[in-house]
Amino acid sequence: IELGDFIDGQPTAEDEMAKAREFDDLFSALGIPRYHVLGNHDLALLDKPAFLSCIGRNKSYYTFPCGPFRGIALDANFNRDETPYAAGRFDWTQAYLPAQELEWLEAELAASDTPALIFIHQCLDDDGPHGVRNAPLARGILEKSRRVAAVLQGHKHSGGFSRIAGIPYFTLRAMVEGPFPGNNAFAIVEAAPGARMRITGFANQPSFDEAAATY
């Protein structure tokens, strides 16, 4: 799973779409299930339907099987008035989860006893410019459900870690700071319900070994 900003910095919308298709072809060559989270860079020149068409998805937030967990991918690329980010018409410091998506999240968490891993681009534990502006509403839903093992997120290029109300929030480092290989960063996550979660980082990504949430 990639946590957003799959593409960055192409001169035209057509070039962005071509690059997204090229990268997704490389991603699919792994021969294992692959999942995407939308980032703000992905929408600098494209609207959501255009980007999603390049990666073979039709929804920007969704659930998926994730071993013994339920994976839940969220999309906070919305303006305060709940209009979606599109073709650069947004302020990246103003990201929101719309009411409809929050209602969907609450219903999805209530629908199963299976513990969940949450994946999102913007940060749910940060009150600064990298944070989701209505993150307290989302965190309330996560905490009330007692189903969330961890949140994995991006956006804040330097990465980080925090724990709020027992839920660990892992922010993984970005690869858009400069060219490969000096800015490479990726990780392998090992997790089991009720056990410690281990994140083994490679290149610029540090490793974490933290207890999972109580659920």
Side-chain angles (χ1 to χ4, degrees), residues 54-185:
C54 298
I55 58 171
R57 299 214 66 88
N58 56 16
K59 293 183 178 179
S60 63
Y61 56 92
Y62 55 94
T63 63
F64 60 95
C66 193
F69 299 92
R70 295 181 77 210
I72 300 180
L74 298 179
D75 174 13
N77 295 285
F78 290 86
N79 299 298
R80 185 173 184 176
D81 63 2
E82 302 196 351
T83 57
Y85 284 12
R89 295 189 295 275
F90 57 85
D91 175 352
W92 70 266
T93 69
Q94 299 296 308
Y96 289 84
L97 287 162
Q100 182 177 4
E101 185 174 348
L102 289 171
E103 292 169 3
W104 172 88
L105 172 62
E106 187 169 24
E108 287 294 328
L109 288 170
S112 172
D113 292 336
T114 303
L117 294 174
I118 306 296
F119 300 90
I120 187 170
H121 181 64
Q122 292 88 348
C123 300
L124 289 177
D125 63 337
D126 190 328
D127 293 330
H130 294 91
V132 177
R133 303 267 57 90
N134 59 342
L137 291 175
R139 290 199 304 266
I141 292 170
L142 304 186
E143 293 159 14
K144 180 182 176 182
S145 75
R146 298 187 64 82
R147 298 279 188 272
V148 177
V151 176
L152 292 100
Q153 54 198 15
H155 198 45
K156 189 174 184 178
H157 294 184
S158 58
F161 172 80
S162 69
R163 185 183 298 277
I164 301 174
I167 299 175
Y169 292 78
F170 299 96
T171 306
L172 302 190
R173 289 192 178 179
M175 296 193 292
V176 296
E177 286 291 305
F180 178 85
N183 291 275
N184 198 14

